[in-house]
Amino acid sequence: MCSVKVPATDIMSTMDSQVENGDKEEELKASKRKISLCKCGVCGSEEAKYRCPACLAHSCSLLCVKKHKQDSGCNGIRNKSAFVTLSHFDEMTLLNDYRLLEDTGRFADGATRDKLIQTPRSTLKAKKLAAHARKVNITLRFLPITFTKSKENSTFFITK
């Protein structure tokens, strides 16, 4: 092992620079935290820590968030497809749009892999029913099998 002796004055100057750097970091964090400049929109007594994704109302605590939702009827869910003007468009909006497209792609990909959706749209009995209906000029349209109404449908055709 190797040991190095450092003069005490160097240690003190290093500690002073760390304190100065800490002050600068706190100032930088305060300048980045724009939400903290506002008061709570519900109680108005404390500094706001949270912002509602749906209506952008400021709140300071969970209690105020719940009170805001109760009073205003806000559900707190951000409208992912809301129009954003070019002047308000920033990197976060771009990232949110990208995430929406990724989620949509993932949902579409999952739908193609779902076994329930890949099942045939009609059964042999339904095809016979449609064929006989066509003979008497009736147009039948069937819901996909995955729909609840299609599962509940009890229509049948007696061939005799």
Side-chain angles (χ1 to χ4, degrees):
M1 285 186 45
C2 167
S3 63
V4 177
K5 291 187 178 183
V6 180
T9 55
D10 289 345
I11 294 172
M12 291 302 288
S13 63
T14 306
M15 289 176 64
D16 289 341
S17 65
Q18 286 177 351
V19 170
E20 289 174 7
N21 288 341
D23 291 339
K24 289 178 184 176
E25 287 176 12
E26 287 177 19
E27 289 175 12
L28 185 62
K29 285 180 185 177
S31 67
K32 285 185 179 179
R33 265 191 337 193
K34 293 179 183 175
I35 195 167
S36 67
L37 300 175
C38 301
K39 293 284 184 184
C40 177
V42 179
C43 67
S45 62
E46 291 194 34
E47 191 175 278
K49 296 178 186 174
Y50 311 105
R51 188 178 348 190
C52 178
C55 62
L56 303 177
H58 298 286
S59 54
C60 64
S61 65
L62 181 61
L63 185 66
C64 286
V65 169
K66 288 182 178 180
K67 185 163 175 42
H68 157 70
K69 286 182 179 181
Q70 185 180 22
D71 292 347
S72 66
C74 180
N75 62 4
I77 299 172
R78 180 180 62 88
N79 184 1
K80 294 179 181 180
S81 60
F83 177 75
V84 178
T85 61
L86 193 56
S87 61
H88 290 98
F89 196 85
D90 57 357
E91 290 179 14
M92 196 58 162
T93 311
L94 179 66
L95 184 62
N96 288 336
D97 287 352
Y98 182 75
R99 286 181 182 154
L100 176 67
L101 292 174
E102 286 289 318
D103 289 344
T104 306
R106 192 176 309 112
F107 181 76
D109 186 46
T112 59
R113 296 175 187 221
D114 192 1
K115 298 291 181 201
L116 204 63
I117 294 175
Q118 291 180 354
T119 57
R121 290 192 175 260
S122 60
T123 60
L124 183 61
K125 290 180 182 179
K127 287 180 183 177
K128 284 184 182 180
L129 178 64
H132 286 286
R134 262 193 305 272
K135 287 180 184 176
V136 290
N137 292 330
I138 297 173
T139 304
L140 282 180
R141 300 180 127 204
F142 295 100
L143 289 170
I145 293 175
T146 57
F147 282 47
T148 306
K149 291 284 186 185
S150 177
K151 291 176 185 174
E152 293 173 355
N153 188 1
S154 61
T155 306
F156 61 94
F157 177 72
I158 301 173
T159 56
K160 297 179 184 176

